[in-house]
Every structure is written in C-alpha cells, then in structure tokens.
C-alpha cells in the first residue's frame, strides 16, 4: 500500500506518516522509484499510534511502549506502570490547568468593568 492509500485508510496525513517513520514508529519499504510501500498491517499500527498520541503520549514514549502493546508475548507489568506514569503526568497537567483557570477567572472578576 502506498502512502496515499495509507493516508486515506487512516485519516493520517502523508506528512504525519513520514513523521511516524522518522520517529521509528512505522516502517515501509521503498520501490525502485523511491515510493514508500506499507504492509496491510500498517493501517492497524497507524490507528494505534494515533490513539496513543490522542491519549497525550509523545512519540518517544510511544516508541518505548509500542513493542509491548503490539506484541502480547513480550508484555510485562512494566507497560502498565509506564502507562500509569503517563496518566499521572496528564492528571498533574489537568490539575495545573484548573488552578490556572481559577486564577484567570479571579482576574477577570477583579478587572471587570460594569
């Protein structure tokens, strides 16, 4: 499957697919003319990458956890611990945003002109 086909199948832009490759998250082979060709399993892999990105993981973290997620035979308790640490990180960010919102709401009220 060529990059345009994978893009159409997953909704990921060709630019994103090239980025995933640069980060070591996705692999392709090259034709004699240099075009990328992906295996049919790439659709599932890109969908998984997109889910992990949507969950707030960065590409370096995804590169760490992707082998364990993709291959149940090598899955260990480390995966759940790693994902838990990411959940804790996101929770801290949400808490920080709530505090920021409260401060900003206070400033709006303080400087409101009626």
């Amino acid at each position: 499957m060529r990059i345009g086909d994978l893009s159409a199948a997953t909704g990921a832009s060709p630019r994103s697919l090239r980025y995933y490759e640069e980060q070591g998250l996705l692999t392709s082979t090259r034709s004699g003319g240099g075009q990328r060709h992906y295996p049919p399993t790439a659709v599932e892999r890109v969908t998984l990458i997109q889910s992990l990105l949507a969950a707030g993981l960065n590409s370096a973290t995804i590169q760490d956890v992707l082998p364990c997620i993709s291959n149940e035979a090598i899955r260990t308790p480390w995966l759940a611990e790693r994902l838990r640490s990411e959940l804790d990180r996101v929770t801290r960010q949400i808490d920080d945003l709530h505090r920021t919102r409260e401060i900003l709401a206070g400033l709006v009220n303080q400087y409101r002109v009626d």
Side-chain angles (χ1 to χ4, degrees):
M1 150 181 341
R2 292 181 5 197
I3 195 166
D5 299 325
L6 183 57
S7 175
T10 61
S13 69
R15 182 177 180 186
S16 293
L17 297 173
R18 288 189 292 274
Y19 175 77
Y20 300 162
E21 278 195 66
E22 289 171 12
Q23 298 302 305
L25 306 175
L26 185 64
T27 59
S28 68
T29 57
R30 297 291 183 122
S31 69
Q35 291 184 332
R36 289 174 166 87
H37 289 275
Y38 299 93
T41 56
V43 172
E44 183 177 340
R45 183 136 179 130
V46 169
T47 301
L48 177 56
I49 292 166
Q50 290 172 317
S51 293
L52 294 170
L53 287 167
L57 277 65
N58 62 38
S59 58
T61 301
I62 293 172
Q63 188 176 26
D64 285 347
V65 301
L66 199 54
C68 297
I69 291 173
S70 299
N71 185 349
E72 193 171 334
I74 63 170
R75 202 169 292 164
T76 67
W78 172 86
L79 176 61
E81 291 169 18
R82 183 70 166 99
L83 293 174
R84 169 59 67 185
S85 73
E86 289 300 314
L87 177 59
D88 292 345
R89 179 187 59 80
V90 169
T91 300
R92 285 190 304 275
Q93 288 178 329
I94 290 169
D95 292 344
D96 289 345
L97 283 172
H98 281 291
R99 280 190 292 280
T100 300
R101 184 183 184 283
E102 289 172 11
I103 292 168
L104 185 55
L107 289 170
V108 167
N109 285 332
Q110 181 178 350
Y111 297 109
R112 182 178 60 214
V113 178
D114 292 328

